[in-house]
Amino acid sequence: MPEPALSAEQEALFRLIEDTQEHVFVTGRAGTGKSTLLRHLTWNTSKQIAICAPTGVAALNVEGQTIHSLFKLPIGLIADSDIEQSGPTRKILNAIDTLVIDEISMVNADLMDGIDRSLRQARARRKEPFGGVQVVMFGDPYQLAPVPPRGDEAKYIADHYRSFWFFDAKVWAGEQAGDGLIEMGRHGADLHIRELTHIHRQDDDAFKVMLNAVRYGRVTADIAQKLNEVGARTPPEDDADPVITLATRNDRVNAINAKHLEALPGREQTAVADVTGDFGRGDAYPADEHLALKVGAQVMFLRNDIGSGGEPPRWVNGTIGTVTKILPDTVRVDVDGDEFDVEPAVWEKYRYAYDAFQKKLSRDVAAEFTQFPLRLAWAVTIHKSQGKTYDRAVIDLGAGAFAPGQTYVALSRLSSLDGLYLSRPLRPRDIRVDEDVRRFMKNAWERQGSQMRAVPS
């Protein structure tokens, strides 16, 4: 599939990353093209880069490694002790010019400092932050939060950090790290925060205003009334344009999908994934290991169509369709009246290595996961809907949003307000914004002002 052209603000950010050694945090509302910029950087940089993410699925999405795998960090609290490093790991870390971290909002402060310490330790214990490596981070703290620490880990974080968010790590300079938390004899790193502003997912300005209000926790009575009025409609059941339910909990999603699949006539057939190499546990798989399907099943694509001969893609990650035929090697899916034969896709798990002959990083395939790039899609969790776009969706918040940003993520998947259906009216407690995120972004605007815009308005 051809690489999309960058917008002016994306191009300006690419040049900042490519032409300087500044540490950059790329953020922005849902649909502003953070992933597009990351892919462009991956394909076009002249630097030696390593790409990582906090979870296995996130790492697969950017064709990188998990943070713990790349740095060989222990699971759990890293604290402030030296980190064991093998010779090969030190060689890899010494070869990196730029470290790219996706879904940075899921990285906690302790892990951020562990990355800093690992790089300084591997690179002849240089005192510069991150051992002189440029760090570029992508993510939106208004959408995804790190998993809160518990027990003794929570006590340690409370004693040593202002919060468990990545931006409160000791490595960062100034207020971002909290008073008195920079280690003696070492300067904190300056973090350049840049916010993409042009939304590519939605065209309706009124809907964009509503989404912004939900994002920042500033929903007025008028906005809430409008969302609830539109969402109160009954979703169509027999429609050529399927409606997916976005729910907060896995058990709710599984129950909806199982109920609809069982109600279909015909024989259920199961495709079993082929897993080679060390791909990790089932929760790291990019698709179902055992994919149960019937003719008539509503499914969602999990990969972009690669296209051929310059033709536009037939589907993208998040496209919804209906299974019309199941063959041994293909599944036929109807998408908006057009039928396509879908073959199994291969997800490759990468591992970085040091090529001593070329004196460069190499990225090798460590494991493969082969499965039809489909998932049952009468329902999906809000978390797994991250990055997807839907024309229509039922938002099912159940007993209530249990994490900050969850309602914003769900609503911002929609391309327009017309596609919104609510299983129940939104309540004030559904609109949740983390106070540490508010403080961080407020301080960022006070420190950097209009510089946060890649292209000044």
Side-chain angles (χ1 to χ4, degrees):
M1 189 165 62
E3 182 183 351
L6 294 186
S7 66
E9 62 178 0
Q10 288 171 326
E11 178 64 31
L13 263 179
F14 173 68
R15 294 269 45 109
L16 172 65
I17 295 166
E18 184 70 5
D19 298 341
T20 76
Q21 284 297 108
E22 305 290 359
H23 305 298
V24 183
F25 170 39
V26 180
T27 189
R29 289 164 286 176
T32 50
K34 297 182 292 295
S35 296
T36 298
L37 175 58
L38 193 156
R39 285 194 298 271
H40 182 86
L41 174 66
T42 302
W43 297 336
N44 295 280
T45 183
S46 61
K47 297 179 179 180
Q48 288 285 294
I49 69 169
I51 306 168
C52 59
T55 68
V57 172
L60 284 175
N61 289 338
V62 292
E63 299 184 345
Q65 262 185 271
T66 64
I67 294 170
H68 285 84
S69 171
L70 176 62
F71 287 90
K72 300 297 186 288
L73 294 171
I75 300 298
L77 192 68
I78 297 170
D80 54 3
S81 58
D82 272 4
I83 296 164
E84 292 185 13
Q85 290 177 333
S86 65
T89 297
R90 285 195 296 273
K91 288 180 179 178
I92 292 169
L93 299 185
N94 267 285
I96 298 173
D97 296 326
T98 299
L99 177 71
V100 177
I101 308 174
D102 194 29
E103 301 292 14
I104 187 63
S105 64
M106 297 180 70
V107 174
N108 61 34
D110 164 67
L111 181 55
M112 192 82 245
D113 281 333
I115 292 170
D116 168 51
R117 194 158 56 253
S118 293
L119 286 167
R120 287 189 290 116
Q121 185 177 311
R123 296 163 73 90
R125 296 187 178 272
R126 292 170 62 174
K127 292 190 179 296
E128 304 151 82
F130 304 107
V133 171
Q134 179 188 31
V135 174
V136 178
M137 302 170 289
F138 290 80
D140 181 7
Y142 286 103
Q143 294 188 55
L144 288 176
V147 177
R150 296 181 179 179
D152 288 341
E153 292 186 6
K155 294 176 184 177
Y156 178 90
I157 295 295
D159 285 343
H160 292 80
Y161 292 96
R162 189 168 182 176
S163 80
F164 55 81
W165 286 83
F166 77 95
F167 47 73
D168 280 328
K170 298 176 184 179
V171 65
W172 303 118
E175 291 183 33
Q176 292 156 188
D179 294 336
L181 292 179
I182 300 295
E183 293 179 16
M184 294 299 292
R186 181 164 63 88
H187 297 294
D190 289 322
L191 179 58
H192 295 260
I193 304 162
R194 295 292 183 269
E195 186 169 14
L196 293 168
T197 59
H198 179 69
I199 298 175
H200 303 271
R201 182 173 293 148
Q202 294 97 13
D203 295 323
D204 181 352
D205 288 339
F207 188 36
K208 290 179 184 179
V209 169
M210 295 179 194
L211 291 177
N212 265 349
V214 175
R215 172 183 168 90
Y216 298 121
R218 300 170 185 162
V219 176
T220 64
D222 288 344
I223 290 175
Q225 181 180 356
K226 180 64 175 176
L227 289 170
N228 284 329
E229 284 177 353
V230 173
R233 298 166 300 149
T234 301
E237 294 183 3
D238 299 316
D239 197 296
D241 188 5
V243 182
I244 188 171
T245 294
L246 309 184
T248 56
R249 303 181 63 87
N250 268 310
D251 54 1
R252 173 67 174 151
V253 166
N254 293 337
I256 292 172
N257 284 331
K259 176 184 175 182
H260 281 278
L261 187 66
E262 185 178 354
L264 289 175
R267 182 168 64 94
E268 181 179 303
Q269 299 184 59
T270 301
V272 180
D274 181 23
V275 186
T276 60
D278 180 15
F279 212 95
R281 300 171 298 176
D283 58 359
Y285 292 165
D288 293 336
E289 184 178 10
H290 298 88
L291 175 63
L293 295 173
K294 286 183 181 179
V295 171
Q298 182 167 295
V299 291
M300 179 175 69
F301 285 85
L302 302 176
R303 290 278 291 267
N304 294 337
D305 175 34
I306 59 173
S308 61
E311 293 293 320
R314 296 165 294 174
W315 61 79
V316 296
N317 187 1
T319 294
I320 298 174
T322 303
V323 173
T324 59
K325 193 169 186 179
I326 303 173
L327 300 169
D329 299 320
T330 62
V331 175
R332 188 166 296 165
V333 180
D334 179 285
V335 178
D336 295 331
D338 293 322
E339 293 193 359
F340 305 113
D341 287 332
V342 182
E343 298 178 343
V346 180
W347 284 266
E348 295 175 328
K349 181 178 179 180
Y350 291 94
R351 180 174 295 146
Y352 287 96
Y354 181 68
D355 186 329
F357 179 73
Q358 296 189 5
K359 298 190 182 332
K360 290 183 178 180
L361 282 180
S362 64
R363 193 178 59 161
D364 306 323
V365 176
E368 292 183 342
F369 180 96
T370 305
Q371 177 61 289
F372 291 102
L374 302 169
R375 172 180 285 140
L376 292 179
W378 288 284
V380 67
T381 61
I382 293 171
H383 183 83
K384 286 183 178 176
S385 75
Q386 193 79 16
K388 310 289 195 302
T389 301
Y390 306 113
D391 292 330
R392 301 181 184 188
V394 178
I395 309 300
D396 183 352
L397 296 174
F402 59 81
Q406 200 168 42
T407 301
Y408 172 66
V409 169
L411 292 173
S412 62
R413 298 310 97 198
L414 290 162
S415 57
S416 73
L417 183 61
D418 292 338
L420 172 64
Y421 301 90
L422 293 171
S423 65
R424 63 157 175 81
L426 293 174
R427 303 165 184 158
R429 65 174 176 268
D430 294 324
I431 312 300
R432 301 180 58 188
V433 180
D434 188 281
E435 289 304 317
D436 288 304
V437 172
R438 286 188 200 268
R439 181 252 309 166
F440 168 66
M441 293 303 290
K442 178 177 180 291
N443 289 346
W445 273 105
E446 290 175 353
R447 287 192 309 273
Q448 300 185 27
S450 61
Q451 290 182 351
M452 283 181 61
R453 296 286 189 240
V455 176
S457 55

